[in-house]
Amino acid sequence: MAKKPVTFILNGSERATFAEEGLNLLEFLRRGIGDLSPKYGCGQGTCGACTVIIDGETHLSCLTMAVTIEGRKVETASGLANGKVHPLQEAFMEHFAAQCGYCTPGMLMSAKVLLDRNPAPTRADVIEAISGNLCRCTGYEPIIDAILATANMRRLA
Amino acid sequence: MAMHRGRGFASINYPIGMNLGGDPSQALVHSNPDGKFTVALSSIDLGQGMKSVTRQIAAETLGIPVADVYVDTADSDTGPHCMGSFASRGTHRVGNAVIQAAQEARAVMLEAAAEELEVDATDLVTDGRGNIHVKGASSRSITTMAACQAAQFKQGRTVSGRGIFLIPLSEVDPETGEMTPVSCFAHAAMLVEVEVDDETGEVSVLDMQSAYEVGRALNPRLVEQQLVGGAWMGMSHALWETTEPYYPDRSHGPVDFNNYLMPGPGDLAPHHISVLERPAPDGPFGGKGPGEMCANPVLPAVANAVYDAVGVRIDELPITPEKVLRGIRANGGARPKMRLTRTQFTGAR
Amino acid sequence: MIEFRKEFFANERDDNLNEIGKPTRRQDILGHVTGRSPYFDDHLFEGLLHIRCVRSPHHHARIRRIDVSAAEKMPGVVRVLLGKDVPLNLNTLLSLLDFGLDDEPVLSTTKVAYKGEPVAAIIAESEAQARAAVLAVKVDWEVLPHVLDVEDAVKPGAPVVCDVYPSNKFIYHGKFDHQKLRYGDVEDAFARADHIVEGRYQMSPIEQAPMETCGAIAAPEVNDRFVCFTSTQGLFFSLGTAAKLLTMPSSRLHFVGGTVGGGFGGKVDSMHEPLAILGAMLTGRPCKYAWDREEEMQVGAPRGAERWYIKDGIARDGRILARKFTGYFDSGAYTRLSSYAIIKGVGHLPGPYTIPNVYADVFCVYTNRTPATAMRGFGITGVDFAIEAHMDKGAEMAGLNPIDFRILNSYRDGDMKAHRRLAKNCALVECCQVVAEKGGVVLTQASRAATSLLDGGGERARLPSRTATDQNGIVSGFKGGNYAKKGGGASAPQPVALPIAASAPTPAYPSPASVRPAAPTYQPAATPPPAPQPPAPAADTARHGALRFSSLSGFRRR
């Protein structure tokens, strides 16, 4: 497969490199760039472990072609903490919203987009936002609690 | 054309550790020059919190703050043998090994402190905040850091310890099945309320009321993680999951999460958990392992609740809408049993 | 919505501890929320190769020929592995514990016994190239009749799934084709019972479905060793298995893991490390072997299906007088861990209830499906579903509230259990009481007054005066020498049971944190078993060198 040049912004930093035309964004980020935070859970777009943010929207990186991020802004969980821990991360820690941690990077991406768009979500809003992120360990309750708590904290701030 | 509610009950116990024993785990605990301790293991954290619970166990045993302990696992070059994380054995076996190793390390640390303070080690206590002092005379004290420094650079002591926990392997009698399976059991009881739609056969879990006896909740939040997540998996197991929907026929086996069904965040049931603690005589601080038994009572409780709601006994899991409808039709309609009606409201806890 | 009912068993606990009991944040949580926790695949390598397997599309088939010539020439293919490339191509997982006979190849050469069984492995520069080359491998299959139902599989004349066990049943103690539990005389008790309840229960196989699939990456390490990053749940278990299959000293293997994206029992089988390391050995490059999600679901070992038949004899007052089990564990095409599950299950019967007559025959059955393995509640979940669904029927027949029925029959401290050891540290009664209270279920006076601590022992501590035993299912031609071997001699050993001193109501651990906690000890309930029989001369073709966990107790024999 031919390699195409790709220039994009990853977690606030400009990157320029090459990507094979058939390569998916998940593999590109993990092995091409070395950002290991998005995870492989199914490669079929059904689990959400690979969720990243592109231009402010969630995308399943296992089903996104790497070359399509040309000129776009990409965010992953490893970029959430910008010098200090992001409120969502703090809330996840406080509420014990992760056990094995494998779904957590993708889950945080979905939560971030929700809160960026809707600073006062209802429980139903949260449930809908994370319905594409499967978790096998927690039973979801602490994750919902953590996201609602983050929203509450921000409103009080 | 109606929704029927019903409640079902189940109670279980669960054997802790590998059946018959013979499953050792080891731990090594040692201090760096500054009195910060590493617990070296080859045990596995699957998410159940192995690293976290052993950290607390080590800190408690050493008598130092948890921030001064780090659990390092798993590397076969540096971590001593552990059988593995399964059979609810982790907290029980590894925890005990960590206690033994930490006790040895603590003893050296206290000897070192005793030598510095010119007292008997038996007169010393730790305050759990990084200090060692004479019992009843807290001004005669030395920091754990200073004691460890003195031990290693002045006195020539290794502030370290080794631990192993092994329950001897039991035999099994071929004719009678006599055996010593495990040394302790966890317990659980579960009351589940469901709602069954007699037109679609769908079952929704409305509420779970449970009691789990776990020996000791070494970290109440980690225990809660297991019980909430495990009960969710139990619900999933009862109503949703199968790799062979037409078992023993293998056709239509799911190959992705579109077909392998599990409840999502919109399908959750409120779960009211009560934790009881009857310490296991041989558990680390009495702890047993809640990791597996958390799911078990949900499966039969749901099946029994479906029977209570519509009078259909479904003895084959998962309980699918198809099975519910077939049962209702065979009975000539829904036949609620209402055997566990709430006859007194005890108030929310 | 969690509460801690500290008032129960308070006098057996000292709650005045320093770090224990605190809701301390997890050590690994910061790594999880920053995406830095290092799972096996979170390691970067130059020149990483990818392994994908050629798998059987048939439930059961003989392999006439495997033609890899076209695959070998495909772009990116570095090496193709067949069974002959595996130094020791036959294993059973529990051979590390001297339990069972080697029955499963790494890459099959003569026949396949389940759909998805691997027969070749392609090692290529990219995953896509490996997948393409898999499709180019031509296998000439001779399809064989298959059997998928456990009760069909144990009938005479059924297709033989696993040649090591021609009756499609694992052989226990070299003696019987099932594990027995015999305690008292159930048939006698059934005749006396007022109610008989019978049931049949079936569990489906289910997936562990961790969010991280199983896998390993192996690479040549400095100084003639191999490093293997793995998702295993048992680091040394997998290391030992790899050392055995690759006939390599364990000292040359360096396994790294410990951070796993969920396991639930599905990451014990050690399928990935041996092939990944073999690839690294033969190519000199890092090799990754991991399942995709489809493989994780249909090739990866599920919780095995179980079928249970239960018959209860219940007295008029609701006491269960006798319980009889027949259980079939569907082990699939190979043993893996299922042989152990049966023993664990048998040790668990009849559930947390004091029943004076218990009988069980539990079979580990081979069928032509994906081999089963451990899953959360291994050996217990299935039978507990059956028991508790059955208890509900018993309650209804006896006319008792389901919770009263449980408490009435619940075990208490000091009761004799069906595996002939005394119960201790019980808490079932209290759990039932708490749930009844929370759920607004009114219990009888007797149920509300019951306690695990006082109502047991005495008469209930006695072994039955007579136990009906039998030699049903006896086989010949198999050696003993399994782990947990006992007997094998002509006469049934006499059961021994030592009364356990009733636990004194003192705290299990001393107060102030400054005093060292008592060293953990375990007092085995039984006296040492009778002197082990001398071992049968071992015509032991299935055992080979490498690491063993054996000789932990003097009772093991080869």
Side-chain angles (χ1 to χ4, degrees):
Chain A
M1 288 256 186
K3 287 202 178 196
K4 290 187 69 170
V6 182
T7 307
F8 64 106
I9 299 182
L10 177 63
N11 296 324
S13 313
E14 190 169 281
R15 302 292 193 116
T17 182
F18 291 88
E20 282 178 7
E21 280 181 315
L23 188 63
N24 66 64
L25 182 61
L26 178 65
E27 271 302 292
F28 174 72
L29 285 172
R30 289 178 60 79
R31 297 209 176 272
I33 301 287
D35 181 342
L36 295 167
S37 61
K39 305 294 181 198
Y40 172 90
C42 69
Q44 301 158 324
T46 59
C47 78
C50 68
T51 306
V52 299
I53 300 173
I54 304 177
D55 289 342
E57 289 189 342
T58 55
H59 285 261
L60 298 169
S61 60
C62 73
L63 295 184
T64 305
M65 284 301 167
V67 294
T68 64
I69 62 167
E70 168 64 37
R72 301 173 81 184
K73 261 187 57 180
V74 178
E75 295 167 81
T76 65
S78 59
L80 251 192
N82 204 359
K84 65 186 185 100
V85 162
H86 188 280
L88 266 174
Q89 291 170 318
E90 178 63 33
F92 268 55
M93 291 196 282
E94 183 60 30
H95 288 265
F96 284 74
Q99 292 186 31
C100 83
Y102 202 75
C103 76
T104 308
M107 194 71 77
L108 286 168
M109 296 291 93
S110 296
K112 177 174 192 289
V113 166
L114 168 73
L115 294 184
D116 285 350
R117 288 185 182 161
N118 179 357
T122 61
R123 186 184 157 95
D125 293 331
V126 173
I127 285 172
E128 180 166 346
I130 65 169
S131 283
N133 293 88
L134 300 188
C135 174
R136 191 56 166 158
C137 298
T138 65
Y140 298 102
E141 286 288 1
I143 295 172
I144 298 168
D145 289 346
I147 297 171
L148 286 172
T150 310
N152 285 336
M153 290 284 295
R154 279 184 167 170
R155 279 212 301 281
L156 296 170
Chain B
M1 310 265 222
M3 307 293 274
H4 304 271
R5 292 200 174 181
R7 301 210 291 175
F9 181 80
S11 62
I12 56 139
N13 68 349
Y14 197 81
I16 302 304
M18 212 164 138
N19 189 62
L20 302 180
D23 60 323
S25 284
Q26 295 184 40
L28 295 171
V29 171
H30 69 270
S31 165
N32 78 353
D34 291 336
K36 308 288 189 246
F37 285 79
T38 299
V39 181
L41 305 172
S42 69
S43 314
I44 309 292
D45 199 321
L46 310 169
Q48 83 281 39
M50 167 63 60
K51 295 172 190 169
S52 306
V53 77
T54 48
R55 188 180 183 220
Q56 285 178 257
I57 288 171
E60 181 73 50
T61 309
L62 288 163
I64 63 178
V66 75
D68 288 351
V69 179
Y70 185 77
V71 173
D72 180 59
T73 195
D75 185 321
S76 63
D77 278 358
T78 52
H81 173 258
C82 167
M83 204 81 174
S85 289
F86 45 79
S88 296
R89 65 182 298 279
T91 298
H92 192 262
R93 308 294 203 250
V94 183
N96 278 328
V98 169
I99 288 176
Q100 187 176 55
Q103 283 175 336
E104 187 174 2
R106 175 191 166 88
V108 179
M109 185 174 68
L110 292 182
E111 286 293 335
E115 191 176 314
E116 293 304 295
L117 293 175
E118 294 177 331
V119 297
D120 240 29
T122 49
D123 294 331
L124 291 176
V125 296
T126 46
D127 68 356
R129 289 194 293 279
N131 301 298
I132 304 167
H133 62 86
V134 175
K135 250 179 266 192
S138 50
S139 57
R140 295 202 56 202
S141 99
I142 183 173
T143 61
T144 53
M145 180 191 295
C148 290
Q149 286 168 339
Q152 292 171 72
F153 291 105
K154 207 165 105 184
Q155 303 169 11
R157 297 181 200 268
T158 57
V159 186
S160 58
R162 306 151 301 163
I164 183 169
F165 187 74
L166 168 64
I167 292 182
L169 187 69
S170 159
E171 294 197 340
V172 184
D173 188 292
E175 265 86 11
T176 64
E178 176 179 359
M179 67 176 95
T180 309
V182 290
S183 60
C184 61
F185 294 83
H187 302 86
M190 171 73 73
L191 183 66
V192 166
E193 183 172 13
V194 303
E195 187 170 72
V196 182
D197 182 328
D198 69 10
E199 189 175 344
T200 64
E202 282 178 85
V203 178
S204 302
V205 178
L206 297 180
D207 189 71
M208 296 194 274
Q209 303 275 347
S210 64
Y212 289 94
E213 186 282 308
V214 301
R216 184 187 293 271
L218 301 170
N219 179 323
R221 297 303 297 271
L222 293 183
V223 168
E224 184 180 1
Q225 284 192 315
Q226 287 302 300
L227 299 182
V228 170
W232 169 88
M233 190 180 270
M235 179 171 86
S236 187
H237 206 334
L239 293 166
W240 300 68
E241 297 184 39
T242 172
T243 54
E244 295 190 40
Y246 296 99
Y247 180 87
D249 188 309
R250 294 211 70 189
S251 33
H252 305 292
V255 294
D256 61 32
F257 287 115
N258 287 326
N259 305 116
Y260 191 82
L261 304 177
M262 302 186 293
D267 302 302
L268 304 178
H271 183 189
H272 310 271
I273 303 170
S274 301
V275 176
L276 282 63
E277 299 166 273
R278 186 173 190 194
D282 70 340
F285 302 96
K288 305 175 188 174
E292 286 178 288
M293 61 103 167
C294 38
N296 289 353
V298 182
L299 286 66
V302 168
N304 296 338
V306 169
Y307 177 70
D308 199 53
V310 291
V312 176
R313 286 271 183 217
I314 297 175
D315 296 328
E316 297 206 11
L317 293 184
I319 297 168
T320 59
E322 181 182 342
K323 289 176 186 163
V324 173
L325 283 178
R326 284 184 194 280
I328 290 176
R329 273 180 211 158
N331 285 351
R335 306 241 175 277
K337 299 295 169 183
M338 312 299 280
R339 291 175 306 143
L340 277 170
T341 47
R342 182 184 281 274
T343 54
Q344 80 194 41
F345 182 68
T346 54
R349 278 195 178 274
Chain C
M1 285 162 278
I2 186 167
E3 61 168 7
F4 288 82
R5 300 292 296 267
K6 295 283 189 186
E7 72 273 23
F8 286 93
F9 313 112
N11 64 347
E12 294 185 19
R13 268 190 343 261
D14 167 36
D15 289 340
N16 183 24
L17 297 170
N18 211 31
E19 296 290 353
I20 296 296
K22 284 223 186 94
T24 309
R25 257 192 209 183
R26 297 174 61 114
Q27 177 179 286
D28 54 5
I29 192 73
L30 184 61
H32 287 354
V33 301
T34 53
R36 307 266 322 266
S37 292
Y39 306 92
F40 85 88
D41 194 44
D42 294 338
H43 300 90
L44 297 172
F45 296 89
E46 279 291 317
L48 180 70
L49 297 174
H50 298 261
I51 300 180
R52 295 225 28 104
C53 286
V54 178
R55 300 186 180 282
S56 165
H58 303 293
H59 300 302
H60 199 195
R62 212 176 304 287
I63 300 169
R64 287 208 198 97
R65 207 165 86 91
I66 306 178
D67 180 0
V68 301
S69 53
E72 276 171 335
K73 298 193 196 76
M74 290 191 59
V77 173
V78 172
R79 182 78 197 247
V80 178
L81 300 180
L82 294 169
K84 62 180 166 60
D85 298 311
V86 182
L88 178 63
N89 195 27
L90 198 70
N91 187 35
T92 192
L93 282 175
L94 295 176
S95 64
L96 290 180
L97 307 176
D98 288 337
F99 191 27
L101 301 167
D102 290 341
D103 61 358
E104 183 170 5
V106 175
L107 294 172
S108 303
T109 54
T110 51
K111 78 156 192 170
V112 289
Y114 68 97
K115 185 169 165 191
E117 184 164 348
V119 301
I122 307 284
I123 309 180
E125 302 277 357
S126 76
E127 190 190 322
Q129 288 168 329
R131 284 180 185 273
V134 163
L135 297 174
V137 173
K138 298 182 204 11
V139 184
D140 188 7
W141 306 101
E142 178 194 326
V143 178
L144 299 171
H146 63 270
V147 60
L148 291 173
D149 181 272
V150 285
E151 289 183 86
D152 287 346
V154 301
K155 289 188 183 132
V160 174
V161 173
C162 182
D163 293 332
V164 175
Y165 302 101
S167 66
N168 289 334
K169 289 170 276 193
F170 182 84
I171 304 302
Y172 283 93
H173 315 283
K175 197 169 181 200
F176 295 115
D177 64 6
H178 60 286
Q179 177 62 49
K180 297 175 193 285
L181 182 66
R182 301 284 187 270
Y183 182 79
D185 185 339
V186 292
E187 298 304 330
D188 177 73
F190 287 146
R192 291 183 278 115
D194 297 298
H195 306 289
I196 298 287
V197 182
E198 298 192 66
R200 174 192 184 276
Y201 304 92
Q202 178 71 60
M203 290 266 290
S204 167
I206 73 164
E207 236 295 281
Q208 297 83 2
M211 294 324 299
E212 177 201 41
T213 62
C214 294
I217 300 179
E221 204 181 44
V222 141
N223 299 328
D224 199 32
R225 302 174 85 215
F226 293 90
V227 65
C228 184
F229 296 91
T230 160
S231 67
T232 182
Q233 291 180 227
L235 198 77
F236 279 94
F237 200 85
S238 298
L239 193 158
T241 299
K244 174 184 171 181
L245 294 171
L246 303 174
T247 60
M248 182 185 288
S250 58
S251 47
R252 288 183 66 205
L253 292 174
H254 178 196
F255 272 45
V256 180
T259 301
V260 175
F264 311 109
K267 290 175 173 165
V268 188
D269 283 3
S270 310
M271 295 281 114
H272 296 82
E273 299 84 357
L275 259 185
I277 297 168
L278 183 63
M281 282 165 66
L282 296 176
T283 64
R285 288 170 63 175
C287 288
K288 173 177 168 180
Y289 178 33
W291 280 329
D292 63 20
R293 184 52 67 177
E294 179 173 346
E295 285 169 314
E296 182 75 38
M297 283 198 183
Q298 291 294 332
V299 171
R303 185 203 298 286
E306 294 170 39
R307 184 173 303 163
W308 287 93
Y309 295 90
I310 305 183
K311 179 175 176 181
D312 279 359
I314 305 176
R316 191 174 316 274
D317 66 357
R319 280 175 307 116
I320 305 170
L321 301 177
R323 176 167 282 174
K324 179 175 180 178
F325 295 87
T326 307
Y328 300 92
F329 273 69
D330 190 339
S331 182
Y334 298 106
T335 311
R336 302 257 176 110
L337 304 174
S338 296
S339 51
Y340 157 86
I342 276 74
I343 302 220
K344 184 173 179 185
V346 168
H348 186 66
L349 303 180
Y353 305 108
T354 295
I355 299 176
N357 300 282
V358 183
Y359 173 113
D361 287 332
V362 188
F363 298 84
C364 175
V365 182
Y366 299 95
T367 59
N368 287 113
R369 63 168 35 78
T370 311
T373 193
M375 182 174 176
R376 206 174 199 175
F378 191 42
I380 307 296
T381 304
V383 74
D384 272 358
F385 165 70
I387 289 172
E388 285 304 295
H390 203 67
M391 289 293 280
D392 201 58
K393 294 177 183 149
E396 193 179 32
M397 185 160 295
L400 265 64
N401 168 305
I403 306 182
D404 284 324
F405 186 61
R406 299 313 194 285
I407 293 174
L408 175 66
N409 287 289
S410 171
Y411 75 157
R412 275 94 161 143
D413 288 354
D415 285 356
M416 181 58 68
K417 305 208 286 187
H419 53 269
R420 298 157 193 269
R421 300 291 179 267
L422 290 174
K424 60 178 167 68
N425 195 243
C426 306
L428 196 79
V429 169
E430 287 74 11
C431 287
C432 291
Q433 290 167 333
V434 167
V435 168
E437 178 199 325
K438 294 201 306 185
V441 178
V442 177
L443 300 179
T444 62
Q445 171 81 308
S447 290
R448 276 179 281 136
T451 163
S452 295
L453 299 166
L454 298 175
D455 303 337
E459 276 294 318
R460 297 159 64 103
R462 288 200 219 290
L463 287 168
S465 53
R466 190 184 63 83
T467 289
T469 59
D470 56 78
Q471 300 285 297
N472 299 341
I474 197 163
V475 302
S476 57
F478 285 84
K479 301 280 185 277
N482 298 319
Y483 117 117
K485 163 181 152 46
K486 184 169 179 176
S491 58
Q494 294 308 303
V496 281
L498 267 189
I500 300 180
S503 15
T506 52
Y509 287 90
S511 358
S514 55
V515 177
R516 287 178 0 208
T521 56
Y522 170 66
Q523 309 300 325
T527 54
Q533 303 290 329
D540 197 356
T541 53
R543 302 226 155 80
H544 297 265
L547 184 70
R548 278 282 176 280
F549 296 164
S550 60
S551 307
L552 294 170
S553 95
F555 308 135
R556 221 86 56 85
R557 290 282 185 270
R558 287 191 183 279

